[in-house]
Every structure is written in structure tokens, then in C-alpha cells.
Amino acid sequence: MPQVTTRLLKEKLTNKLIIDRGIQVEDANSKDMYIVLASIVNEEIMPNWFNTNKHYIKKNYKQVYYLSMEFLIGRLLESNLLNCGMLNAAKEALEELGFHPEDVFSEEHDAGLGNGGLGRLAACFLDSLASLQYPGHGYGIRYRYGLFEQRIIHGNQVELPDYWLKDPYPWEVRKEEEAVVIQFHGKVHMFKRNDGSLEFKYENTDKVMAVPYDVPVVGYNNDVVNTLRLWSAEPVFGDDTNVSSANQEFYHDLDHQHSIDQISGFLYPDDSSYEGKELRLKQQYFLVSSSIQNIIKHFKKNSKMPISKLPEKVVIQINDTHPSLAIPEMMRILMDEERLSWDAAWKVTTNVFAYTNHTTLSEALETWQAEMIQYLLPRIYMIIDEINEQFCKQVWFDHEELRDKIPELAIVAYGRVHMARLAIVGSFSVNGVARIHTEILKKKEMKDFYALYPNKFNNKTNGITHRRWLLQANPKLANLITDVIGPQWIKRPKQLISLLKYSNDRVLLDKFDQVKNENKTALANYIHQQTGILVDDNSIFDVQIKRLHEYKRQLLNIFHVIYLYNELKENPNQNMTPRTFIFGAKAAPSYYQAKEVIKLINTVASIVNYDKDIGGKLKVIFLENYNISLAEKIIPAADISEQISTASKEASGTGNMKMMMNGALTLGTMDGANIEIHDLVGEDNIFIFGLRAEEVLGYYQNGGYNAQDIYNTDDRIKRIMDQLKQGEFGIHDIEFKDIYYNILYHNDPYFVLKDFEPYLETHELAERAYRNRQAWLSMSVTNIAYSGKFSSDQTIKEYATDIWKIKQV
Ligand code: 26V
């Protein structure tokens, strides 16, 4: 794209304000500015979008489709400007016209169509696909309500609906002509055709229209624009051939209208425990049926190849098991509509799908009541049943050694459909998201499947897009890096490694110091404006930002804070580097224990932050409504990145990578991608503590841990636990009995007490290290230098070569 100059942009903005909105710059507010700037960016994007599509069709490239119930894309104006090469000019133009770019960008409502790591990963992958010029697209749902907005009221989480589409969303294009019909319920009738093949006809189905809204995915400075296609559920009106008159009548029933609206109504806000709700199942089938229909239609129209060749031109990645009904849906279309035999259809299907697993937590594993699938999706259930039948037979006859294991391998067992098993059997690739996670899948969680299909299993360590998480979120650091090593790292993030040469260069370290300090001051100002609390920008910014979950152990973190507070109360003059503990976390609305922890953090904050005795040495900040745009503010200012999950529980983590890339040092357990960070930077550049995964798994298997013993022998812990139970926090007499009992009477399932002492000692090490400014900065630069390895560009290249077999265009 030609570089747009500041002068030209100013002119365009001024003209557009007049022509589109009838106002002059002097009278415009930041929202007007946001609207016209987005429209100017769209003018750049649209021709490239059209050309990219045309080019892909003309060359008939193999395409990858990323199917996901979640895409946590956040705001798009700034990243689209960045990727179009217009960001600097736009910022200058806005400033010269009297606006703060930050205010203008903040007018955009975050697209929060995801819960956390899994949804954000999908968004990073789309950015990398387009930036590396891969033909790859996302399919998801256009939820009218994204992840709830969190307010903290009297220390408690309160959820508000996130109506992110209140204002027109400038990045979507409705494509009515591409709508498809999805059918639920009804009866299936089977007929024999003259040639002996079977025909299936559906009767009395409930039909729903899936209407796509396309969002452009802009590559970085390369004119590529891929597509994120989000489906919206609408009633089927008019004299559409598929709709019976009974059906039309049926939709006059408002309840039904309502139940259709619900399908793309809201994102399920729980990523911690699986619940077998029918609406969620409807959402899943709605996504996969519309997407698979669309993919096949596109293939037939553009490739002019027989359907049996689908795997040569199409590969579909399913993001966790949530879209795994795509496998029987593909079988259904291939057999019932394309008239392939079972065997031919199975061959195509199992060469098209690849599955990524994102968790080994048993409470998150999806299984559906067989009867529910049978009632909602009768034809799909028949197919699942047949897949199961054939699979079990195959194990029985070809793998005698696994015969006993059939109940644990069967896709349908004891009245439930096991989605991970379906996904493994129906895919040619199964991957975990960090080295340790994949090893746990192979050796433990999916051991028997690994024995059956050793070649399917592979690892793809997660990554993050350095464009959003460094270039865009931390322009000062990005510019400094470019000043030092030149701009090549932007296209090839692994070249950040050149920074290593400078990790002891005093002049340079001072500049890094200055950037970090400016970012901390900016965050301190934001905190002040949001909470009224003044934090010391010379204090250590210790950050834990992620969903609230017991295994992530925000509780361990706040225990440490309470310990420090107790120490300071006893000895206010002790020599301690001031610390600011920053939290951001949403709890699933129904997750009681998680909500108690939020309340505890806020209660501790309300005591510590106002206690004059401790001389401002300790501050606790809980920033409400943690989301992508808040992450962009916090991460550049972090000194310490808390990654303290119970070892073996965090599949990968990606916040760990974002903070590393912004110069924070990880204080964490040997879990998920922390291990790979540790192996890269070396033990001198990271703070590792606590039980190892083998030890945790060993305790689970053989017992041998007793939380009560630690409570009885460690006075520091006893004191904290008793304070919780008795509500003995200064003026507040709120008690946290449930936390107390949960730990002591359930034997501390996440090993909070067990890891407390090593955690505390490691914090002491970190505090001491922080006092040596040069040494700290040198560690920080070392971390940035190695972080290129965690660019999602690297991850996507590995998916593309090992799994997808697609080429950069
Ligand atoms: C689970 C469930 C359970 C059923 C109801 C709805 C629902 C929605 C989302 C999830 C997601 C759980 C899996 C997940 O988010 N895993 C995270 O994936 C990240 C990206 O791979 C990884 O970095 C995190 O470690 C992992 O926890």
C-alpha cells in the first residue's frame, strides 16, 4: 500500500467529517473522529480484500479454515491502521487536529467474543495468517452480547451485559446472499434409491437462517486481507424453497423468534466448567453447519474438482472440541448431499480435520447427553453412532491389547457422547499447545489414543502477535528496539535476539529503563483516574492478569500480599522495596470460589491501600473489567509477570509471552509455556518456584500431601488462614470461611499451602534482584531478546508446514 501522509490524512478526515457527518473539525468529538477514521481505513482495506479473494480463487490455493466458538479480537481501528501502514500518520493527523489518538481509539467497543486464552489465540492466529500471506480464514459466531462487562461493587463482581453492537460496527459487512439454512429437530426418513444407495429425508425440522457478517483480517504491510466470517441467526422468511408454509406460521410465534435470536445471542461466559445446556449445543451446530456448508459450496464453485479431492484444497482446524460436530456434519453433507459412500466420505473427512486440545482439566471436557443430540440433531446422531460403531470394532479386531479399554475410548459410552474422542478419531492431527501439555496428553490424558494413533499427535506451542502486543501496545519500546537493532525484527521477530549483544550496555539499559518508567507512569495515571488510588511509579509493578480460576492460584498471590502486610504492620520500618500488586480477572458468573477470591483481593486492597502505618509501601489494585484493551495498557508497564498455576494445569498460557515480550520477568511455576520460557532465557533470567508437574501428578495419584500439617507448622500460613476465617481484617469484619474450609477440608487441591514458602522465598529473591537496577534491566532485555520465539508467526508457520500443508502466497 502506498504510505499515506499525515497531510493527506488530515485533509481526508476534514472532508469526510463534512461530507459524511455534516460537521467541521472544530465541532467534532472523538466519536465523530473514530467513525470517519474507520471509514478511511476501510477505503484502504476494501480493494485489497476484494483482490485477495479474487487472487485466491484464481490460483485455487489450498485454504485453511479456523473454526472457533470464540474470537477475542478486541478493538480493530489501531491494529488495522498499523497493518495498513497508516498508524503513525493517523496519530499525527489526529493530534494536529486537536485530538488525543487514545481517546479516538477508545471510542471503539472491544469485540469481546471470547472468554480468555483460547479466543485470544484464535485472534492472534488470524493476524499471523494474514501477515504471513497464508490463505486462511476464521469462522465464528456473531454474538450480540460478548463476554459480560465486570463491575466491582463493594468488592464483589457484578456482571452487566456487553451490548457491543449498540453503535454500528464499522468493520463488518453483512452478506445476505451467502446465507444458509440450518435445520434442527424433526424426523429422519430413510429410502433406498434405485442404485441401492440410501437417501435421507428430513421432515418437520426447525429451520434457522445463518447470515454471515464478514470482518476483514488485514495483513501487516502486504496488501493481504483475509476474512473472519461471523454467523448470525435469523428466522427464515419469505418464499424460500426450503420453507414450508407451516414453517412460516411457526415463526409468527414470538417465542420461536426469540429462541432463534438466542442462538447467536450471547457468548457462554464459563470457561472453567462444562455444562450440558441445549442452547450451547445449538450454538455449536449452528456454527459448524453454516461453516461446512459454506466451505463445500466455495470448493465446488471455485475448484471445479470432484468432492473427493476436498483435502487437497481444504483443511479445517477445530479450536478445542467446541466445533467438533463439524466432523459428523461433513459426513452428512458428503453422503446425503454429495452422495459419497460411507468409506469415501470418511476418507475425505479424516483428511480434512485437525484438532487442537487446550486443556486437560476434566471439568472442562465436553460430553453431551446422547439423547439430547439425538433429539436436536437426529441425522447427526445417527452418524456419530455409526462412527462410534466402526471405531469400536476397529479397536476390538485390530488392537487386542486395548479391548479392555473400549469403554474409555468409545465415542458414545454410558449414554454420553465424548467430544474429544470424536475429535481425535475424526481428525488426522491432534495437537497440544505447549511442550509439557502435549506430553501430558500423550502420556496421561490421551494415552490410549496415542497408542492407537501415535502419528496423529504433535505439539504446537502457542504464540502471540508481536504486532498488537509490542508494536501497537508499546510503541516506545518498539521504537527503542528499532533504534538499536534496526527494523528487520518487525517482519522477522526472531531477530529480536540481536538485542542480546546489548544486554550489558549501560547507555542502552538506561533507555530501556526510561521507557519502562514512562509506561509505568502512564499506567499509574490510569489507575488513579479509574480508582482514585495513587500508586508509586517507582514501586515494583507485580502483575497477574487472567481469568480467575482456582488452578491459576490468584489466592496464592493474595496470601503473599497478606503476609507482606502482616510483616509491615509488625515492623513498619523494615527495608522493603515498595510494591504494587495489580490484578485483572473475570470469574465465571456461577463460579462461587472464584468470586470469593475476587472479594478477598478487593477487601485486602481496601485495607492495605488506606493503612497509614505501612507508609505506602504496599498497594493492591484490582482493575475491573479486564479485557483486551485493558491488557494493552497494563502489559507494557509490568515488572513482574505472575504465572503461578499449579504445575500440570495450565496448558500453555499466553499472557506469560506477552509480558516477557514487554520486558517483564516471569515469576512462575514450571508449567505450560513457562517451561519453554525458562529453557530459552536460562534460570538466571526467570524466577521459578514450587512443585513440578510430576510431583503434583504423583500426589494426585499416590496421596502423601496433607494441607493440615502445613497449617499446623507454618505460623505465617496459620495466621493468614485464621485471619480469613475470623474476618479479622482491620475495620472490615467480612469473613472468608469458605476459602478456609475449602483449603483445609478438601486438602488444598491446588497446593496453595504447599507452594507458599517457596513462593515467598522466590519473591524475596526477585525483590533483591530488583534493587540492582542494571542487573534487572539486563535480565529484562534478555527476555525481550528471546521472546521472538513466541511470536504467533512462528506458531503459524509450524501449523502451516506440519499440519495444514499450505503455502505462503
Ligand atoms: C471451556 C469451556 C468449557 C465448556 C463450556 C464453555 C467453555 C468455553 C471455553 C473453554 C475453554 C477452556 C480451554 C482454554 O481456554 N484453554 C486455554 O487455552 C489457551 C490457549 O491455548 C492456553 O494458553 C491456556 O493455558 C488454556 O487454559
Side-chain angles (χ1 to χ4, degrees), residues 443-596:
K443 297 205 176 106
K444 196 167 167 280
E445 288 328 303
M446 298 178 169
K447 176 164 147 273
D448 300 324
F449 281 104
Y450 180 53
L452 273 177
Y453 311 117
N455 299 328
K456 282 192 189 183
F457 285 75
N458 65 94
N459 176 245
K460 295 288 168 283
T461 298
N462 284 165
I464 55 166
T465 167
H466 62 288
R467 286 167 290 275
R468 178 177 290 257
W469 297 108
L470 179 48
L471 273 172
Q472 176 192 322
N474 198 346
K476 287 179 177 152
L477 179 58
N479 288 336
L480 174 56
I481 294 171
T482 299
D483 287 348
V484 180
I485 62 170
Q488 300 82 359
W489 67 274
I490 298 172
K491 283 267 176 183
R492 288 184 225 297
K494 275 195 180 161
Q495 292 199 10
L496 284 171
I497 201 68
S498 319
L499 283 171
L500 272 191
K501 291 200 281 289
Y502 303 91
S503 64
N504 287 309
D505 179 327
R506 290 207 151 224
V507 181
L508 198 94
L509 293 183
D510 280 345
K511 291 187 184 159
F512 275 95
D513 194 26
Q514 199 185 332
V515 166
K516 183 59 85 179
N517 287 330
E518 286 171 13
N519 290 335
K520 286 169 73 174
T521 306
L523 180 60
N525 290 337
Y526 177 80
I527 290 173
H528 183 239
Q529 171 219 320
Q530 290 293 306
T531 66
I533 297 164
L534 283 169
V535 304
D536 175 0
D537 44 15
N538 288 312
S539 64
I540 303 175
F541 279 20
D542 183 306
V543 175
Q544 188 174 18
I545 42 176
K546 48 185 82 248
R547 282 299 283 259
L548 213 141
H549 201 297
E550 286 165 281
Y551 83 80
K552 295 179 189 280
R553 297 198 298 191
Q554 282 92 351
L555 190 59
L556 179 59
N557 187 342
I558 199 68
F559 272 21
H560 172 239
V561 176
I562 298 172
Y563 162 77
L564 291 175
Y565 178 67
N566 288 341
E567 290 290 292
L568 277 170
K569 286 295 271 187
E570 245 153 55
N571 181 5
N573 296 322
Q574 70 170 287
N575 183 11
M576 188 192 109
T577 314
R579 318 271 251 284
T580 303
F581 291 91
I582 298 166
F583 294 86
K586 288 179 181 176
S590 60
Y591 193 168
Y592 174 77
Q593 289 294 343
K595 288 183 149 179
E596 283 292 286

Side-chain angles (χ1 to χ4, degrees), residues 302-340:
N302 298 311
S303 83
K304 315 223 159 55
M305 292 160 83
I307 194 75
S308 56
K309 301 258 186 230
L310 189 72
E312 287 177 24
K313 295 294 168 192
V314 167
V315 55
I316 303 173
Q317 191 72 36
I318 51 181
N319 200 20
D320 216 299
T321 54
H322 318 149
S324 55
L325 288 174
I327 291 164
E329 175 67 2
M330 176 68 84
M331 287 295 286
R332 182 187 71 80
I333 297 177
L334 293 179
M335 293 187 302
D336 298 1
E337 288 170 20
E338 302 299 326
R339 300 203 173 191
L340 292 190

Side-chain angles (χ1 to χ4, degrees), residues 70 115-118 121 268 270-275 280 320 322 358-359 363-364 366 433 462 551-552 649-654:
E70 308 191 10
N115 271 289
L118 167 143
L121 186 75
Y268 271 86
D270 195 340
D271 68 350
S272 41
S273 69
Y274 160 76
E275 236 189 315
R280 167 91 181 164
D320 216 299
H322 318 149
H358 293 269
T359 183
E363 61 274 24
E366 285 190 301
V433 291
N462 284 165
Y551 83 80
K552 295 179 189 280
K649 299 270 179 194
E650 188 70 272
S652 160
T654 42

Side-chain angles (χ1 to χ4, degrees), residues 95-115:
E95 267 160 14
E96 288 178 22
L97 294 174
F99 291 85
H100 296 299
E102 187 47 37
D103 296 345
V104 174
F105 300 148
S106 305
E107 291 294 338
E108 180 168 354
H109 205 113
D110 269 47
L113 309 184
N115 271 289

Side-chain angles (χ1 to χ4, degrees), residues 427-446:
S427 304
F428 67 87
S429 163
V430 178
N431 77 282
V433 291
R435 208 164 60 212
I436 183 182
H437 171 59
T438 302
E439 285 310 306
I440 292 176
L441 291 179
K442 293 200 288 195
K443 297 205 176 106
K444 196 167 167 280
E445 288 328 303
M446 298 178 169

